[in-house]
Amino acid sequence: MEDQIRQFVVGPIQTNCYAYISEGECLVVDPGASGAAIAQHLQDVHVTLVVATHRHHDHVCGIRALVEACGAPWAIGAIDAPRATQAVELSSHLFGAASAEEANPPEPNRLLVEGDVLTVGSATFTVLETPGHTEGGITLLGGGSAEGVCFVGDTLFAGSCGRTDLLGGDPDTMLKTLARLKQVIPPKTALLCGHGPETLMERELATNPWLQ
């Protein structure tokens, strides 16, 4: 059976949450809201890990309900972890107040650093530290049966990149991160972004002003 990606658009600013499914196992990326509802849609698979690409409210506030429903551990970049459990207080004024379902995530079960490899079924995802939008943002570059897939969070968008004017953002660091991604993400890779449409790295290399 081929691997599958399910997408859920959640929360007040339309955050993309993804479920990567391989051999009945599932990696959930960026459940920013509606964690219980996401769990309902994944009852047919075994959620083995939940990952946040960064600590912002709109990417982590569905985690508590999701992990309580499915019993999976959750992980985030080590540098972003200390502020992740305060996400509502730090950023809800920017991204919208949390609903009754949403809350700060619990303490993460795993802290991710550069070079860590996550496995789900026959797929692997290598952790790239990609600061700029936040201090500890990460990108997940697919390998194995996930080759050609990359979860970029709010680091890179179709035609743009993540904002750097929030707490922990830094424009110079973002430019260094983007220069690195130009080198390490193969052109034929599908970029699954934290907001907006999916895109291809080759398209962004040709048209995205932040990658020129």
Side-chain angles (χ1 to χ4, degrees), residues 76-78 110-119 124-131 137-141 180 184:
I76 190 170
R110 182 174 177 183
L111 304 181
L112 302 174
V113 297
E114 176 77 23
D116 282 349
V117 177
L118 311 178
T119 300
T124 62
F125 291 93
T126 299
V127 175
L128 307 176
E129 293 183 354
T130 49
I138 59 171
T139 289
L140 304 178
L141 181 61
R180 180 189 179 210
V184 300

Side-chain angles (χ1 to χ4, degrees), residues 46-102:
H46 177 211
V47 178
T48 57
L49 185 64
V50 177
V51 175
T53 58
H54 62 287
R55 60 174 173 77
H56 282 156
H57 164 276
D58 61 318
H59 288 254
V60 303
C61 278
I63 289 175
R64 182 178 295 275
L66 176 59
V67 299
E68 287 178 354
C70 67
W74 85 276
I76 190 170
I79 297 172
D80 263 8
R83 287 177 169 162
T85 56
Q86 305 171 40
V88 171
E89 293 85 347
L90 290 171
S91 58
S92 62
H93 64 292
L94 294 168
F95 301 119
S99 72
E101 178 196 5
E102 294 172 331

Side-chain angles (χ1 to χ4, degrees), residues 6-23:
R6 300 179 190 174
Q7 180 179 353
F8 311 97
V9 182
V10 299
I13 60 169
Q14 303 289 282
T15 302
N16 292 328
C17 170
Y18 301 98
Y20 192 96
I21 300 164
S22 178
E23 298 182 349

Side-chain angles (χ1 to χ4, degrees), residues 91-201:
S91 58
S92 62
H93 64 292
L94 294 168
F95 301 119
S99 72
E101 178 196 5
E102 294 172 331
N104 284 326
E107 291 289 337
N109 305 97
R110 182 174 177 183
L111 304 181
L112 302 174
V113 297
E114 176 77 23
D116 282 349
V117 177
L118 311 178
T119 300
V120 52
S122 58
T124 62
F125 291 93
T126 299
V127 175
L128 307 176
E129 293 183 354
T130 49
H133 182 61
T134 65
E135 310 96 322
I138 59 171
T139 289
L140 304 178
L141 181 61
S145 59
E147 185 173 354
V149 173
C150 188
F151 296 106
V152 293
D154 286 3
T155 296
L156 190 58
F157 299 124
S160 185
C161 70
R163 60 190 293 183
T164 59
D165 59 334
L166 304 177
L167 178 67
D170 184 86
D172 291 336
T173 301
M174 176 63 85
L175 289 177
K176 292 176 182 177
T177 286
L178 295 175
R180 180 189 179 210
L181 292 183
K182 288 174 62 175
Q183 303 301 316
V184 300
I185 299 180
K188 298 297 184 182
T189 302
L191 304 180
L192 303 182
C193 309
H195 304 273
E198 174 184 332
T199 185
L200 285 173
M201 189 61 177

